[in-house]
Amino acid sequence: MLSPAPNTTTPTEGSEDDVRIWRNPLTAWGGAGAEPEVPTIPYKDPTEIWAETRKSGVPLLPVGRLRYYYKWPGHGEKLWSKLRYWPTRRRILHVRGEYNPKTLRREKTIVDKRPIWWALGLLALALAPFAFPASQLNTLLAAGAFFGIYAAINLCWMLVLGTASIFSLATYAVVGTAAFITTWLSISLGLPWWGLPIIGSAIGLVFGVVIAIPATRLDGFYYSLLTLGLNELCRVYFVQSKIFGSATGGLYGADTYVPKSWSPFDQSMLGYYAALMLMCGALLLYRMVDGRRLGRILRMAPEKREAFAEATGVDFRRARIQVFVVSSIALGFIGGFYAAHYRGVGFSIFSFDTVLLGLAMLVIGGIGRAEGAVVGTAVVVFLDKVLISWGPLRLFAIGIIMLLVVLYLRNGLFGIKQQFRAWRDKKKSERRSARAEKGGEMLPEEATETSNKDLVYWRRYDKIQRDYLKSLVSSELIEEHKSNPLGQHSEALERLLLYFRRQPLPDKYAIQVVQPFKAYRIVALSGHRGVPPRVVEDKLYPSQDEAYHGVFMRRVQDLLES
Amino acid sequence: MNWPYVISNAIVLACIYGTLAIGISITWSSLGLLNLAYGFIFALSGYGAWLTSQYVVAVTPDALRGAMILAGGVATGALGGVLVCALAFIPVHDKPNFTIRGMIATLAISLMGTQLLLWWFGPRSKSLPEIFGASKRSLFGLVLTADKIGNVIVSIAMLLIVLTWMRSSRRGLEIRAMMMNPHAASIVGIGVRRTSFYVMAITGGLAGLSAVLLSQTYYIQPFNGLTPMIKGVSIALCGGLGSVPGAVIAALLLGFNEAMTSVALGGQYVLMTQFLLIILIILVRPRGIAGLLDKAREA
């Protein structure tokens, strides 16, 4: 058989990599030259490749496209008993029940956990006064009341800005006008405090109709400019008119719901909880408009897609007027409450900075979500009202937060989750396509399109195998095949030949006898019955063994090229 | 009514507002950015001019002092424009929801910038020396002060220079291409980012110019830029965003209105009549006056 390569030493225990011993499995049957152990040329162990492939550098973390949900135990009998808001059939929690296909047990999944977070958050707000530090109690209670009122205003604003996607800046004009007029009425006519929000709502209704009419005609910045102009107009009017106290910086002296006989602490507590109740009312309104028919219609017809909405039969103009009127009535109500809470109103409610801070609240939280309006308001109010010792720096901090949010977040703090998921998916697919090598594995797009997933794995296996077989090809191996094309070979050559022989029939090389024992030619089979093989080359081989070797060389060539 | 007086006042105001509005209009039409940090640039360049008048003017010859202050204001304005561009335009211009996000970013810059100015220079207002001198001139029975004449001449000259430059230079051609169609401009190799720096520097310079011109009558304060900015934005919108002739017409209309109101009704009603007029114009022509003249960029 084959002699060991001249530069290798005799086989020993320690140098198995250099010269290998091939154990002949056919020894048991005997035969000519069937020696039990034959030294063979060095070759790479196929198990190494397998181990290397398995030892992937990519950490297999338990993250992915599938989202994790805690599975609550369920009971088959309780299948249909769900908690519902009383007169409606709406569920409080969206719980999905299903059978686990592996354990065959009943399971419950809470699909939407937001109601739980809302309940916890509102509970925290309700209990917060008892956790405030005593040194800052007054500041924090005042800031809490301010937060409640501004959160309510922002929720109504969000209905216009987020749900209807109309960039209206007249919100504080409505609130301020209602507050000023109700304060004036309360002072001059002695209106009681509970009348202020009602009168305010009526003023809001008028204002809403006034600002809704141009909204059907104008769009984009033209409308926001118009509303900003309206805001300036209100400011200039109220600042300059004598009856609204142009000299005192505001109009004060309205009737209030806070009893004068109470201690200051009780008064602050009452103010805090009243503002919180106002916010809850605004949340309810938001839910009623945004989560129901009107909100659906408005979200279907955002700016620049009105034509499509109209073509599908949506009367978006009517919906816009409705949402303007509803939110303006609510804003007027809040204006009346504002007057009753602070016993009046200052001109600063019309200032550009107020509009700017309100916009900052919405943008930081995320436009189009109730939780965005509330949390954004909390952030800005905390910076603006609690950290007063910072001076002008606190407004600077609000500006920085606003800028960072706008530059880096697509939709405020509450859009982070979605944005992070999108980013992670992008990175994942980038890495996946970077891992996939050409000519081997299928690309991700290709793999998802292939119905037979075995093919995906087979392609990967074939790639690994070919890479391995390429490493086996050497001049000694070719020499071995040349000296003995048929019969027993070393392990490396045997592996190579097995791979070649197992290839599919189309385009497989074969030997055609041109003249027996004299001339042979290499052809390629067509693989189809009735279609003759094609001639690959003109060369004629004088013997069969040489032709075999010719075929082998062509296959090796093809392998190295693949 | 003293018509020559009204008309002269109207022209002066129209010149200053036009300078502001054309800056906003150019920014919008070429970059698609509604620059609400314009008020901040305005205030910043006022302070730049004031610093120039405090520290640089002492070493310059008398004849050049006015020009020096003017140049200081314009240069600071251009710098402010570049700053706004780097902070608010470059990072978000290719991200989704750019128009709203860009606008809010400029608002945030204006909030931060005015607070910084307040912190640095304090709330006390500053005043500039009279850069056009204190001479008076009589024309058609009308006494014109030097600062009025100076305002009109300087702003018209500056506008003419800018518009000629935009019409005849290579960079101006790039800006005009961006105004026509930003996508096509970027396809033929006009860099959006590079051009945006030119645009913002020029419009910032225009804001600086009008800041120096207006501070001949008003004082320099951190929050002083707000009213001119709102007026500038409203004139730009009124004329049709992105249209220079529309902005000029709107500036003339509103300047005339302001002069008329302050004579007929009193100065405190100026803002009211102005906004009523703007609301009226916008209600009649939802895309601004320029709907008649040329195609305004859609919001």
Side-chain angles (χ1 to χ4, degrees), chain A residues 167 217-219 221-222 225-226 229 233 236 240 304 352 356 359 363 392 395-396 399-400 406-407 409, chain B residues 28 87 95 100-101 103-104 107 112 115-116 226 237 241 268 271-272 275 279 282-284 286-287 299:
Chain A
F167 221 79
R217 200 166 149 71
L218 294 177
D219 57 354
F221 291 129
Y222 292 91
L225 165 81
L226 184 84
L233 200 62
V236 174
Q240 283 172 1
K304 293 205 197 77
F352 187 67
L356 201 56
L359 205 59
V363 167
L395 287 176
F396 187 72
I400 288 258
V406 163
L407 294 191
L409 300 181
Chain B
W28 165 257
L87 278 178
K95 302 244 177 83
I100 295 292
R101 281 168 80 177
M103 192 192 83
I104 292 170
L107 276 176
M112 281 169 9
Q115 292 298 326
L116 267 187
L226 182 67
L237 279 158
L241 271 175
Q268 71 265 37
L271 267 176
M272 260 187 253
F275 281 112
I279 289 170
I282 284 197
L283 280 181
V284 175
R287 288 256 168 245

Side-chain angles (χ1 to χ4, degrees), chain A residues 206-499:
Chain A
V206 176
F207 216 113
V209 172
V210 169
I211 60 171
I213 293 166
T216 57
R217 200 166 149 71
L218 294 177
D219 57 354
F221 291 129
Y222 292 91
Y223 187 71
S224 61
L225 165 81
L226 184 84
T227 46
L228 194 64
L230 213 61
N231 198 35
E232 280 292 303
L233 200 62
C234 288
R235 184 177 70 86
V236 174
Y237 175 73
F238 282 107
V239 166
Q240 283 172 1
S241 71
K242 296 257 179 345
I243 58 165
F244 290 111
S246 59
T248 53
L251 189 64
Y252 289 97
D255 190 27
T256 177
Y257 60 89
V258 185
K260 289 210 171 71
S261 55
W262 288 21
S263 69
F265 171 72
D266 290 340
Q267 287 186 0
S268 317
M269 285 292 260
L270 179 64
Y272 177 83
Y273 282 108
L276 213 58
M277 288 306 294
L278 184 74
M279 190 189 88
C280 288
L283 277 172
L284 194 67
L285 177 82
Y286 187 87
R287 180 76 178 79
M288 286 301 177
V289 173
D290 183 69
R292 304 187 76 177
R293 189 175 174 78
L294 185 56
R296 291 285 170 106
I297 288 176
L298 286 170
R299 267 179 284 136
M300 203 225 143
E303 215 164 66
K304 293 205 197 77
R305 279 174 40 195
E306 290 102 340
F308 173 71
E310 205 162 22
T312 49
V314 167
D315 189 356
F316 71 92
R317 287 193 184 83
R318 202 178 132 165
R320 279 185 186 174
I321 291 175
Q322 271 177 357
V323 78
F324 265 112
V325 168
V326 167
S327 69
S328 297
I329 290 173
L331 286 171
F333 185 90
I334 296 167
F337 179 86
Y338 189 100
H341 181 88
Y342 289 110
R343 295 164 203 204
V345 58
F347 294 126
S348 66
I349 195 153
F350 291 120
S351 77
F352 187 67
D353 273 4
T354 311
V355 177
L356 201 56
L357 281 185
L359 205 59
M361 296 174 191
L362 296 190
V363 167
I364 288 172
I367 287 173
R369 293 156 174 273
E371 57 265 40
V374 173
V375 172
T377 311
V379 169
V380 172
V381 168
F382 182 78
L383 280 171
D384 191 27
K385 296 284 163 187
V386 180
L387 304 176
I388 294 172
S389 56
W390 288 20
L393 202 63
R394 67 189 201 279
L395 287 176
F396 187 72
I398 293 173
I400 288 258
I401 294 176
M402 194 171 164
L403 189 65
L404 290 179
V405 163
V406 163
L407 294 191
Y408 292 108
L409 300 181
R410 238 174 262 167
N411 198 11
L413 291 177
F414 282 91
I416 288 181
K417 197 171 165 188
Q418 204 187 1
Q419 196 178 346
F420 172 71
R421 284 203 177 124
W423 175 82
R424 191 177 62 185
D425 280 353
K426 195 184 92 191
K427 285 285 157 198
K428 221 156 54 177
S429 92
E430 274 174 19
R431 291 210 194 92
R432 206 190 302 119
S433 53
R435 278 206 303 275
E437 289 170 47
K438 196 164 174 278
E441 289 175 69
M442 282 186 182
L443 291 174
E445 297 76 26
E446 210 181 344
T448 48
E449 296 296 314
T450 310
S451 58
N452 185 2
K453 300 299 176 206
D454 277 352
L455 213 56
V456 180
Y457 289 95
W458 178 78
R459 286 266 292 266
R460 182 184 293 174
Y461 170 73
D462 195 47
K463 162 85 164 59
I464 296 170
Q465 196 180 22
R466 267 183 286 127
D467 281 348
Y468 164 64
L469 291 175
K470 276 180 203 170
S471 74
L472 295 185
V473 176
S474 62
S475 52
E476 290 103 343
L477 188 117
I478 290 167
E479 197 53 45
E480 183 191 346
H481 186 270
K482 193 174 184 179
S483 65
N484 192 10
L486 296 176
Q488 277 185 12
H489 297 114
S490 66
E491 181 167 350
L493 183 56
E494 203 63 34
R495 282 181 183 275
L496 213 55
L497 285 172
L498 272 174
Y499 179 77

Side-chain angles (χ1 to χ4, degrees), chain A residues 128-184:
Chain A
F130 303 103
F132 285 160
S135 58
Q136 283 203 311
L137 190 62
N138 274 326
T139 318
L140 285 171
L141 280 178
F146 188 83
F147 158 73
I149 293 172
Y150 274 75
I153 295 174
N154 286 337
L155 281 165
C156 297
W157 193 2
M158 195 69 99
L159 280 180
V160 176
L161 201 68
T163 310
S165 71
I166 299 172
F167 221 79
S168 162
L169 300 175
T171 317
Y172 288 96
V174 183
V175 177
T177 308
F180 266 105
I181 294 178
T182 51
T183 309
W184 180 73

Side-chain angles (χ1 to χ4, degrees), chain B residues 221-258:
Chain B
Q221 279 177 331
F223 301 103
N224 229 2
L226 182 67
T227 318
M229 182 198 75
I230 291 182
K231 280 186 181 168
V233 172
S234 25
I235 291 167
L237 279 158
C238 209
L241 271 175
S243 155
V244 173
V248 170
I249 292 174
L252 278 172
L253 262 178
L254 291 180
F256 185 69
N257 170 63
E258 184 164 337

Side-chain angles (χ1 to χ4, degrees), chain B residues 23-163:
Chain B
I24 289 171
S25 215
I26 289 175
T27 314
W28 165 257
S29 58
S30 56
L31 307 185
L33 180 76
L34 192 61
N35 186 4
L36 292 186
Y38 223 61
F40 159 63
I41 298 176
F42 189 88
L44 181 76
S45 37
Y47 278 104
W50 179 74
L51 283 180
T52 318
S53 75
Q54 292 290 302
Y55 297 105
V56 183
V57 163
V59 294
T60 49
D62 280 0
L64 284 177
R65 280 188 181 171
M68 203 64 205
I69 293 174
L70 211 57
V74 171
T76 323
L79 210 66
V82 168
L83 182 80
V84 169
C85 180
L87 278 178
F89 179 77
I90 299 293
V92 280
H93 75 97
D94 48 358
K95 302 244 177 83
N97 247 339
F98 160 64
T99 35
I100 295 292
R101 281 168 80 177
M103 192 192 83
I104 292 170
T106 56
L107 276 176
I109 290 171
S110 132
L111 181 69
M112 281 169 9
T114 45
Q115 292 298 326
L116 267 187
L117 287 180
L118 180 67
W119 178 66
W120 190 261
F121 291 103
R124 285 190 61 184
S125 54
K126 318 272 190 237
S127 63
L128 284 183
E130 289 182 332
I131 53 176
F132 299 114
S135 63
K136 284 180 184 168
R137 193 158 303 199
S138 190
L139 196 71
F140 307 121
L142 179 71
V143 181
L144 294 174
T145 53
D147 69 280
K148 276 188 184 175
I149 301 171
N151 274 353
V152 172
I153 292 173
V154 170
S155 54
I156 289 180
M158 191 76 179
L159 272 185
L160 280 181
I161 290 170
V162 167
L163 291 181

